[in-house]
Amino acid sequence: SLQPGGAERQVAYTATGLADRQEIESVTLLCDLLTPNHPERYDFYLPLVQRAGPPAHVVRRYAGMPSMIDEPVALVAARAGLPEGLLLDVANLYKEFRRLRPEVVHAWLDWSNTRAGLAAALAGVPRIVLSGRNLNPTNFSNIYQSYMDPVYQALCGLPNVVMLNNSRAGADSYAEWLGFSSERIPVIHNAFNADAAPRDIDRDDDRAVMRARLGIPVDAPVIGGVFRFYPEKRPLLWIE
């Protein structure tokens, strides 16, 4: 989805940035959820994407139950051995990719990496990018699923698949988990849109006023952090 979050913001930045590139014919953003007015705010970053122009829509549900899956042959053959949710998501994404015929599929986070990665491989997409945004999923009981190990192993064995991470620690964690060299996982740090940042405190006298207001000595170093105040971000650890 495009709900509030660091990965979702990076998805929006990437989609809008690519859409602005003259050498790229088109960009489409597929989401599982974009429900408006939902408590989880699934469409939080949708206006940012819409202002830049790339179309964003929810993955179409071609198959609602396993018996409705008729292609590809390999997925039909594996139907009995896959969890139903994974099976249906892969089948629906496969249909989307066959319809859109993308040259590149760029998936984000483990849930989408495994589903979109498998679907893209089955659909014959020439280039598949899997983007990790943290340590490997075994560190998170609410995210990890046992099928992720074999799915990632299979995908990373394909020559047209590349895995990325936004930190060296994350890349090392995935590499150790999957059993290959961390050099195989390039690191691309999160982007920051400086043009959208406030410009209210640009002059030295403005900074002095702000320091005085906050009780910060003139010669004291100031370190700022920008993140959501949620338990998983561990704000108290950052302060320590």
Side-chain angles (χ1 to χ4, degrees), residues 64-105:
M65 58 183 66
S67 60
M68 297 173 65
I69 299 173
D70 56 359
E71 60 174 338
V73 173
L75 191 61
V76 174
R79 201 161 45 188
L82 294 175
E84 183 174 310
L86 174 66
L87 177 70
L88 292 172
D89 287 344
V90 171
N92 289 321
L93 281 164
Y94 170 84
K95 293 271 193 179
E96 289 280 41
F97 296 151
R98 294 292 291 175
R99 179 178 66 85
L100 293 168
R101 298 286 182 179
E103 293 182 75
V104 180
V105 163

Side-chain angles (χ1 to χ4, degrees), residues 104-105 116-117 120-121 125-130 155 158 160-163:
V104 180
V105 163
V125 175
R127 190 68 164 171
I128 302 168
V129 181
L130 310 176
L155 289 173
L158 299 176
N160 61 324
V161 173
V162 62
M163 178 179 281

Side-chain angles (χ1 to χ4, degrees), residues 34-39 41-43:
L34 285 176
T35 313
N37 303 316
H38 192 279
R41 304 172 76 187
Y42 292 130
D43 61 344

Side-chain angles (χ1 to χ4, degrees), residues 93 137 160 183 186 196 203 205-206 229:
L93 281 164
N160 61 324
E183 283 71 35
R203 301 188 308 276
D205 55 342
D206 290 330
F229 270 35

Side-chain angles (χ1 to χ4, degrees), residues 2 12 16 34 42-54 56:
L2 291 176
T16 56
L34 285 176
Y42 292 130
D43 61 344
F44 181 79
Y45 286 115
L46 184 59
L48 189 159
V49 174
Q50 290 174 329
R51 285 196 297 271

Side-chain angles (χ1 to χ4, degrees), residues 104-219:
V104 180
V105 163
H106 187 173
W108 298 73
L109 301 173
D110 299 298
W111 188 264
S112 293
N113 284 346
T114 49
R115 286 157 167 72
L118 274 179
L122 290 166
V125 175
R127 190 68 164 171
I128 302 168
V129 181
L130 310 176
S131 183
R133 317 302 298 173
N134 213 315
L135 304 182
N136 82 68
T138 63
N139 291 278
F140 309 95
S141 60
N142 62 326
I143 294 174
Y144 176 68
Q145 303 291 322
S146 59
Y147 61 74
M148 290 179 176
D149 306 62
V151 169
Y152 268 123
Q153 290 281 2
L155 289 173
C156 290
L158 299 176
N160 61 324
V161 173
V162 62
M163 178 179 281
L164 307 174
N165 204 284
N166 61 343
S167 73
R168 188 73 263 161
D172 291 345
S173 174
Y174 273 87
E176 181 180 8
W177 172 48
L178 297 172
F180 51 71
S181 170
S182 61
E183 283 71 35
R184 284 186 54 186
I185 305 179
V187 173
I188 300 178
H189 297 293
N190 283 357
F192 176 70
N193 184 3
D195 293 337
R199 297 293 182 185
D200 298 337
I201 308 175
D202 275 347
R203 301 188 308 276
D204 288 340
D205 55 342
D206 290 330
R207 294 189 179 94
V209 170
M210 182 62 72
R211 281 175 176 267
R213 184 188 308 167
L214 298 175
I216 302 173
V218 175
D219 57 349

